[in-house]
Structures are given as structure tokens and as C-alpha cells.
Amino acid sequence: MERIEGYVSHIIYRNPENGYTVFELSGDGEEITCVGTFAVLDEGELLELEGDYAKHAVYGRQFRAVSGREKALDDAAGMERYLGSGAVRGVGASLAARIVKRFGKDTFRIIEEEPERLAEVKGISERKAMDIAGQVSERREMRQAMIYLQGYGISNTMAVKIYQTYGDRVYRVLEENPYQLAGDIDGIGFKKADELAARIGIHVDSEYRIRSGILYTLLQASSEGHLYLPQPLLIQRAAGLLELSEDAVADQAANLAMDKKLVIKKQGEEVCCYAFASYYAELSCAKMLMDLQQSLPGGVWDGAGQEEQLRRKIEKIQRQEEIELDGLQKEAVLESIRNSVFILTGGPGTGKTTTINMMIRFFITEGMDLFLAAPTGRAAKRMTEATGFEARTIHRMLELSGAVPKEGHSVSFERDENNPLEADVIIVDEMSMVDIHLFQSLLRAVAPGTRLILVGDSNQLPSVGPGQVLHDLIESRAFPVVCLQKIFRQARESDIVVNAHRINRGEPIALDNKSRDFFFLERDSVPVIYKHMIQLIREKLPRYVDASPYEIQVLTPMRRGSLGVETLNGILQAYLNPADPSRKETRIGETLFREGDKVMQVKNNYQLEWEVVSRFGIPVDRGVGIFNGDMGVIREINEYAQTVMVEYDEARRVTYGFSQMDEVELAYAITIHKSQGSEYPAVILPLLGGPKLLMNRNLLYTGVTRARGCVTILGSRQVVCQMIENASEAKRYTSLDRRIRELKGEFCSH
């Protein structure tokens, strides 16, 4: 490893997100192009760097800095160069020259210890003097924090993330609660935080470590969809994580409850442990729903005396709009008019869209303001196409803000209890995808007197985030629910719809390939499945469903294994978007990304900025927020700037730094769970085996119902039959239904 020294003469490129910087270093009479990660770097600084020279294919010889430290500027020329570089706002080259001429080698001491003396220099007021001193002090504190973090073995890149998260609170966080990093910062799990805590001097059996381990266990359970864990399971998991006895963990769980960090509640025969925020998320949703239900909107249709007039009104709209409704659909429309909270559910082809359309027509004829929403951009687009009225994502309807969330809120929205949605009726589709936190944000923005209509298929997989809101609302029996069951004639012509309902009822399906839209290719060899999958995507299905290969989606139950997402994406990328000199590529971590790749965002990022540009490159729309499950295409990779530009649905473009690409995965194949709310022209399901708990009826039903035009199953007939027979599902520990029933007074809580 080589060592070089010099002044930063020019910063060519800097990524403020991760500190990655390309700059020129001037030393020993030559200019050296350097690249590396630096939390703070300004032109004029004197640096000592360690690293190696490398030859970049495009940009030539570079020095790749592994580590670096700032050296004190002890000569007047260096101080003048730094101050005049632009590092300090409001100080240019001429003013820097006057400051250094006045104070010489004492310049930095004067700025730090006697900043008011800067006003002795012509052109500097007392106010400006304090501003200059403040800026220099702030940058010094940032550098000191980086040195402090690196002293604990934290890499430059991770140190930048930590400092950006905590600022000058970083010392207090690390000294008081290093485990906080595991919950706040991507890339730091409990194990890394635990290693850091050990370096700081926290003992393995300290009360603090055990408490942090318990809370982290609940955080991990939340990522599995749970709102609580039964006490014995929590103790067992936390003890395993901490490698301590269950007795030691149990004692601290009780202490956490006393400190209001944990809620321990007996529910029937079960003792349940909630993180404080999770318990109150369910409780506040239950309370807001009950308040909403009791605030029936005033109007001509309230009261039993208006029943006949109401039915005649609906029949008139049916004739005018040429909409046919069966008995259950009519009942659903009536219930949506009578109630403040109403739930409409049903499988594919049962007429949910027709029913929604009738509701929309009725409310519009009554002069009511109506909002339509869905959890994802794709689902909102489908809702718009099906109804002819604009539907937005829930996040966009609530006006997602890039601001730091308020205390007690998981994300910041402009619309809340203080600035509610100005609508008389809100219809939300694909409710099975809505988790407890998004539902809580939605309810905060629904004013009393608003009708809230929730639509979804309760047999779909639950949300990716914690909770199973639609399921729990139906189970609470507190709100009117209509479940549509009749499969309409047009839908009966689709074997996708017919087979989905058979799967849901646990009945066998025909795998004889006599269908026009449901095919089964029995293959027992993984390489043969690969071969036929590629053949179907590249040659057969695009013509059959009139779609591009990129629109055809492989859905698989698993992430790992020979037919899991990770393996399949590598294989499909090689055939669908092979290496080509005209397409740039880069390896980030374990993944090779290439321009033209189909990708997916795999976590909610509420601060990520996007823009839509015209064909002339002029921005026409901007916003924040890219969400778990959003799919797009890599349009540009810039290795020099270390950025990747991805274009998502609705032409939204996002530029990621390389360090942010851990939020993005290849998406030629995705898990069935991640496909919720989406619909594809054709779906391929490779099914050759897997864990029994995972390979169930619910999963197969969800996968099949993602297809609009064609389903092809590749694999084992026996596995398909076993999945249909397997009605077991992974249990989610949620209790929104119980919170609602408690508020209704159905049973007492102890």
C-alpha cells in the first residue's frame, strides 16, 4: 500500500449521500486523480492518503484511497488556499488573502478562539465573522466525529451514514446505546452493533445489552409481519440472539415493561409482548375506526324511511350506466352508502370492479367529493383503468413529505388529523397489501363524517409490512362486510379465474393443458426448467399474450435454492440482458447490475427523490418516496460518479449512489409475496419443492391471480397438488381485531 501527500486542488465529483469523491491532489509538482470515500473534503485541504494506483478503463490512472487523514495547515499559503477554495461560504480568494495577510499563521487560532477579531478585516462585519467561525467549527466537529467513529473500526462509508443520521449526537448514541444503530441504520444489524458495544466496553451480561436484544428481537419479528410475540417465544428468541439464559432475559423483559418500552398483555391464555409503538399502532387504529363508525355522515339517505327511494335511485343509475348487479353487489352498494366504514371482499372475477364503479356513480350523482387509492403505483394504475377515475397511491394521496417524521409517526405526511383529506368518500383497493403503519397514517387523515370503503381479497397473502389489516378487520365483526362469491360469465371463460377459486376451496385443478390460459409443463430437472423458462420468456409467451419479454414475470416461492430468486435472476439476466459493450455494468456487493436490467426496490425509502422529465430532458414532475415492490429498469450506470439511474413506473427517474444499491435487486424473478398488487400479461411459476410451511394454498392462489392473460406452471404435479391440499399458513401475531372488540366492550382486557 502506497502513501501520498498533497493539497486538494480540485474536487471533480462528490456524492453527498455516501461521501464518494473524485478529486485532484497536488503534490511534488504533479496532479494525481484520487478516488475515495470522505465524510468531509474541501479544496485547499492538506491530506495524507494510503491506497494503491489503479488504471480505470475510461478515466486512466487513479489513486484509490483506502484511508486518509487531514494534516494541519501550518503555513500561511495553505491557510489562504483553504479559506479561498469555497469551503467557507461567503469567503472568496480576495477576502481569504486579506484575512491571512492580517493574521498570518495565527489565522485558524483566531477563527477558533477569537472569531470577533475577524471584523478587523475590511469587508467582514461582526455577524459575518461569527458565521465564518461557525462554519469552520462545524466542519472541524464533523471531522472529529469521523475520526472518533473510525477509531472503533467503522469504515468510512458506514461512518458517513452514521454521522448523517445522528450529527453531533453521535457520541451520546454510541456511548449510551450503540444498539440503536441496528434499528436506525441500514447495513448494521444487531451483531455489528454488539461488536461495537463490546469495543466500547459494554459487557455481554449487562442489563443494557439484554434490554437492547429484547427490543431488537421484536424489531426483527416486525419484519416478519408480527405486531407482538408470545412471551415464551420472545424470551427464547432473545436468549438465542444474546447467547444468554432465558431467566436473565425474562427479568429484563419485566423491567422494559416498567420503563414503558414494552407492553406485556394477557390475551386469553396467552401472554403477549409488544414493542410500545406496535401496541399503540393497533390501539390507535381501533379507536380511530370506532370514532369514524360513530360519525355517520348526515344526508338524505340516512334512516330506514329512505330505503325504497335509495333502491330506486340505484336502479336508475344501473339503467343509465348499463351496469348489471347481482343481489350481493346491490347489497354492497347499499352498505357503502349507509355506513361510515364498509368492507368489500371477493376473489377474482366476482365483480368487485363493477361494484366499485356503481358506488362511484352513485356518490358522484349526489355531488360528493371522491378519492380513489391503492397501496402501489401499479395497483393505482389498474384502478384508474378499471373505473375511468384517477386513483393515486395511498402515499401520494396523503402527500408524502420528505421531512423527518414527527415523534410517534413512522413517516411524515402532509395530510393528518390537523390537515385531513377533503373528501366525502375514500375508496381504497388492494387492502390486503396495507400494513398497520400505513393504515394508521391513512386513518389519521380521514375526517369524521367521511365514508371509508375498503376493498380487497382476504385470501391473498398478507402485507409485506407488519400486520394483517384486512383479515383482522373482517375477523373483528365490527363493520359491515360483503363477500362477493358469484363468478361472472366472462370471468368463467378464464381458467385462471376458475382455477384460482378451486385452489382457494382446496379442490384439484385440471393440469391437462386443454386450457387457453392455464398451462402445466411437468419437468423434474432444474436445468430443464431453466431451459424452458428462457424459451417461454424469449420466444413463446411474448407472441401469445402480445407483450415484451420484460413484461412476463417469473414468480417463485423462495429466495434461495436452485429455483429461488437469487439464482434465477443471475440465469435470466444472462439470457435476457446479456453482456454487451454498449451497455455499462458494475458489480455492487454480490450483484452484477447492467444497463437495461429489470430491477425492484426492496424497502420503503420515504426520502428518495424522483423526477419525471420530458423528451427534451426538462423536469415536469418531482416527488419523494420509492416503495418496497416498485419495479423499474436501469437506464444509466455512471462508474465515475458511482451512480445508477433507474426509471420506475410512470417514468419516475431515481438516481442511486452505489452505496444505496442495497435497496435494489434484479427482478426478472421475484417472490410471490413481492408480487402483491401487481398484474402481469403472463406469469411463470417454477414449482419443484420447498418448505411445507411456505408451499401452501394461499401462496399458490396469490401467484396464479397475478396473471392477466396466461399462467404457466413448470415443475411437479405432485407439488401443485400438495400446495392445494396444504391450508396451513405461517401464523402472524396480530391483534387489531381484539383491540376493536375491546373498545366495543365485548370482553374485558387484563
Side-chain angles (χ1 to χ4, degrees), residues 386-435:
T387 64
F389 290 84
E390 183 196 9
R392 294 171 289 174
T393 63
I394 298 172
H395 291 88
R396 206 156 190 188
M397 180 176 73
L398 297 179
E399 298 174 24
L400 175 67
S401 165
V404 176
K406 302 169 193 171
E407 189 175 350
H409 296 235
S410 57
V411 62
S412 182
F413 292 106
E414 296 294 337
R415 296 289 181 173
D416 56 18
E417 57 270 41
N418 299 314
N419 182 27
L421 293 164
E422 296 169 4
D424 300 306
V425 183
I426 298 170
I427 303 177
V428 183
D429 199 6
E430 295 287 359
M431 268 301 298
S432 62
M433 295 181 65
V434 176
D435 65 37

Side-chain angles (χ1 to χ4, degrees), residues 509 511-513 518-534 536 554-558 562-563 568 683-690 695 700 711-723:
I509 58 175
L511 300 173
D512 54 11
N513 289 327
F518 199 102
F519 303 103
F520 172 71
L521 304 178
E522 185 150 23
R523 304 289 184 267
D524 59 6
S525 163
V526 170
V528 173
I529 289 176
Y530 294 158
K531 175 187 169 186
H532 286 284
M533 188 183 295
I534 292 158
L536 285 165
V554 176
L555 302 180
T556 177
M558 297 159 292
S562 55
L563 292 176
L568 286 175
V683 160
I684 297 172
L685 295 166
L687 302 172
L688 200 58
M695 306 292 282
L700 181 60
V711 170
T712 305
I713 298 175
L714 280 167
S716 162
R717 184 183 303 268
Q718 184 182 1
V719 168
V720 174
C721 295
Q722 286 172 347
M723 289 181 78

Side-chain angles (χ1 to χ4, degrees), residues 533-746:
M533 188 183 295
I534 292 158
Q535 192 177 40
L536 285 165
I537 296 171
R538 288 207 308 191
E539 301 167 21
K540 303 203 168 179
L541 287 175
R543 291 197 304 270
Y544 192 72
V545 296
D546 189 25
S548 73
Y550 270 46
E551 293 177 282
I552 293 157
Q553 189 61 54
V554 176
L555 302 180
T556 177
M558 297 159 292
R559 286 197 56 80
R560 294 182 176 82
S562 55
L563 292 176
V565 164
E566 294 170 4
T567 302
L568 286 175
N569 271 319
I571 292 166
L572 293 171
Q573 180 193 48
Y575 284 92
L576 300 178
N577 189 31
D580 187 307
S582 68
R583 289 194 291 268
K584 293 176 189 168
E585 61 181 54
T586 187
R587 186 170 291 280
I588 302 173
E590 299 296 314
T591 305
L592 178 68
F593 291 104
R594 184 175 292 134
E595 289 176 345
D597 273 337
K598 182 177 175 181
V599 293
M600 172 184 276
Q601 174 83 8
V602 294
K603 62 166 287 188
N604 289 337
N605 187 325
Y606 301 106
Q607 273 73 48
L608 206 53
E609 296 179 355
W610 54 261
E611 68 176 14
V612 177
V613 298
S614 70
R615 59 196 179 101
F616 303 108
I618 300 167
V620 294
D621 193 12
R622 284 192 173 94
V624 293
I626 298 293
F627 307 109
N628 194 346
D630 282 356
M631 292 178 73
V633 176
I634 294 178
R635 296 299 184 199
E636 182 184 278
I637 294 174
N638 187 330
E639 269 208 77
Y640 195 64
Q642 293 218 319
T643 58
V644 178
M645 193 267 278
V646 178
E647 185 174 311
Y648 288 99
D649 292 337
E650 301 172 319
R652 294 170 301 152
R653 294 185 171 187
V654 175
T655 299
Y656 295 86
F658 279 9
S659 66
Q660 295 173 296
M661 288 297 286
D662 58 352
E663 297 184 7
V664 178
E665 291 181 356
L666 295 175
Y668 299 99
I670 63 174
T671 61
I672 294 172
H673 217 129
K674 290 280 190 186
S675 72
Q676 290 179 91
S678 296
E679 190 178 75
Y680 310 97
V683 160
I684 297 172
L685 295 166
L687 302 172
L688 200 58
K692 185 179 178 184
L693 191 62
L694 185 66
M695 306 292 282
N696 59 37
R697 181 187 301 171
N698 194 216
L699 192 84
L700 181 60
Y701 173 81
T702 301
V704 166
T705 54
R706 297 308 87 206
R708 182 170 64 248
C710 176
V711 170
T712 305
I713 298 175
L714 280 167
S716 162
R717 184 183 303 268
Q718 184 182 1
V719 168
V720 174
C721 295
Q722 286 172 347
M723 289 181 78
I724 294 170
E725 291 169 6
N726 181 13
S728 65
E729 297 173 36
K731 166 131 179 103
R732 279 204 175 192
Y733 295 109
T734 67
S735 53
L736 178 59
D737 55 336
R738 189 177 184 96
R739 298 288 83 82
I740 292 168
R741 294 201 300 274
E742 283 175 357
L743 289 175
K744 284 186 71 181
E746 288 188 15

Side-chain angles (χ1 to χ4, degrees), residues 366-377:
E366 292 300 300
M368 294 186 176
D369 290 325
L370 190 78
F371 285 176
L372 306 183
T376 67

